[in-house]
Structure formats: C-alpha cells, structure tokens
Amino acid sequence: CNDVQELTSIITQFNDLSSTARVGGTLTSTMDAMLADIQLKCSKSLEIFHKSCPNLSHLMDNDRFDLAFFRLRTELKHFEHELAWILRQCFSRATTLSAKLRLLDVFYGAYQREVVQRALINEEQWIIDNIKQEFQLVGQLVNSYNKNDLHWPPIARKLLYLYALKQRIDLVMNQFIELCPKIINSDIGWEIREAYRIAKDKIQRNEDDLYNQFEQSATSQISDLLLQPVF
C-alpha cells in the first residue's frame, strides 16, 4: 500500500515538471531544457514500469511488482539528484525573498522529494531567516508612514499605510504556510509565527489608536456644532 501511494506521488510530482519547463519556470532556457530532459527520462521509466505491471492484478504478484518498482525507484532517485542540482542553480540566481518563494511555488511538487529538500536546506534556512527579518522590519516601519501624500486626510493616510503593511506580511505568511506546512508547525515555525504575531499586533494597536483619535475628533466636532445657534 505504501509503495502504491509513493508511486502515485512520484507520478504526480514528476509530471508537474513538464508544465514547469514549458512556462520557463527555471528562468533560463538551458535549465528549462535540462528540466524537460529529466521529465522525459522519468516518463520513459514510468512507461517501462507500466509495461511490467500493466494493471492492478499484478499488484498481487509481489515479486514482479517489487522488482519493477525497485528499478523505477532507483532510476527516479538518480533523476531527483539531477533535479536537486538544477534547483540549487535556480535558487542561487534568486536574490530576494519573493523570488525564492515563487520558486518554491513553481517547484512545489519536486520540493516534496526528500532528496530535493536536503539539497535546498541552506536555501530553506535563508528563507526562514529573511521571513523573520521581514516581519521585524515591518514592525519597525509601523510608525514611518509617508507624510508627503497630501491628497488624503492624515488619519486616512496612516490607515492606508498600515493596511499596506498588513497586506505585506500576510502575503509572505500565507505563502510560507501553503508551501512549507511542516516547517510552520515545527519549533522553527513557532519563531516565524511569533515574529508575525508581534508585527501584526503592533499594526493593530496603531490602527486602534487612529480609530480612537478619529472618534474623539469627530465627537468633539459634533459637540461644537451642536453648541452653535441654529440661526
């Protein structure tokens, strides 16, 4: 049962490589060609496997299935190492957090392979460190709103600025949760969640203060208007 589940996972993950190569997911034509070649070799290996076990009845023939699956898994393991090398080159060319997260998204299926994850352990740590730094930076930017836009009232301008900061960290956090669920639920993930919470709370406190200022200002203005004579 576990072998069948792994086989299904392998087929899905390696089939994704063809679409990735077609859309230029590696950002270079050379890497795209290498990626397409890996996918082609994987397809041929799967075709040979299917010829050895053309239907589910062969699952009952343990020796036949085990031998065919062992050959397939051995070949795919070699392809995984080739794929890991390509991904390391791609990540080395991506210099920003958003670019690296985009690569994780593009190669999400391949990233689930253990060999690929081991090859990208340093990139994974870089992403984690920079996500925490991003949240800390946003926390520092809360009080650094742009005062040059005179087309908005002061409070509205500040609220719009805080909304943009909130969207900024929400985008990163949601991407990371979707792409790396195992990490986000680990001890390292707790540090990321805590940095996110601190930044989010700081934004929320500033928003609450602004709403209170607006309420007090509006109340004061209404009171003054009520004291004015009707005529």
Side-chain angles (χ1 to χ4, degrees):
C1 182
N2 290 334
D3 287 344
V4 175
Q5 184 178 10
E6 183 179 357
L7 175 61
T8 304
S9 175
I10 288 172
I11 293 173
T12 301
Q13 291 162 359
F14 273 89
N15 281 343
D16 289 341
L17 296 180
S18 59
S19 58
T20 302
R22 284 197 302 271
V23 300
T26 66
L27 305 180
T28 67
S29 57
T30 302
M31 294 295 178
D32 286 337
M34 295 174 65
L35 195 66
D37 182 60
I38 292 176
Q39 200 278 332
L40 179 61
K41 290 187 291 187
C42 176
S43 297
K44 290 181 178 178
S45 295
L46 287 171
E47 184 179 348
I48 294 173
F49 173 79
H50 287 312
K51 287 181 179 179
S52 301
C53 301
N55 54 61
L56 291 177
S57 64
H58 290 95
L59 294 179
M60 304 303 295
D61 186 353
N62 291 333
D63 292 339
R64 183 172 184 176
F65 176 82
D66 289 346
L67 179 59
F69 187 71
F70 175 77
R71 289 174 178 171
L72 174 65
R73 188 158 48 183
T74 301
E75 292 174 354
L76 292 183
K77 191 66 67 175
H78 176 71
F79 301 153
E80 285 179 354
H81 285 286
E82 292 183 14
L83 178 60
W85 183 87
I86 292 175
L87 291 186
R88 280 202 303 270
Q89 307 311 307
C90 294
F91 273 90
S92 68
R93 289 172 170 80
T95 58
T96 64
L97 177 60
S98 60
K100 290 182 185 291
L101 287 175
R102 179 180 178 277
L103 279 175
L104 278 185
D105 187 20
V106 170
F107 291 100
Y108 180 75
Y111 177 67
Q112 304 309 305
R113 308 305 302 168
E114 184 179 348
V115 171
V116 174
Q117 288 186 2
R118 287 201 304 268
L120 296 178
I121 188 67
N122 291 333
E123 295 293 344
E124 189 178 89
Q125 187 60 51
W126 188 96
I127 290 174
I128 291 171
D129 292 340
N130 278 264
I131 286 178
K132 290 190 290 186
Q133 292 175 14
E134 172 73 2
F135 294 159
Q136 292 168 1
L137 175 61
V138 168
Q140 296 170 3
L141 291 174
V142 167
N143 296 319
S144 303
Y145 62 91
N146 184 7
K147 300 180 180 180
N148 296 324
D149 187 358
L150 302 179
H151 300 290
W152 290 79
I155 292 180
R157 184 168 63 239
K158 295 176 186 177
L159 287 172
L160 185 62
Y161 177 75
L162 293 175
Y163 175 78
L165 291 180
K166 188 157 47 176
Q167 291 293 103
R168 175 173 168 175
I169 61 174
D170 283 348
L171 176 63
V172 173
M173 189 63 170
N174 291 335
Q175 278 186 302
F176 192 72
I177 290 174
E178 181 179 356
L179 297 173
C180 305
K182 292 182 180 179
I183 296 178
I184 203 65
N185 293 317
S186 66
D187 292 339
I188 297 176
W190 179 87
E191 297 177 6
I192 295 175
R193 295 196 306 271
E194 184 65 10
Y196 172 77
R197 183 193 63 79
I198 292 173
K200 201 73 176 285
D201 286 351
K202 192 169 185 179
I203 294 173
Q204 188 61 54
R205 286 196 302 270
N206 276 262
E207 284 185 341
D208 292 342
D209 290 343
L210 289 172
Y211 283 123
N212 289 334
Q213 291 178 27
F214 176 77
E215 183 179 359
Q216 293 173 5
S217 175
T219 301
S220 176
Q221 292 180 28
I222 292 173
S223 298
D224 292 342
L225 290 173
L226 290 175
L227 293 176
Q228 294 180 5
V230 178
F231 300 103

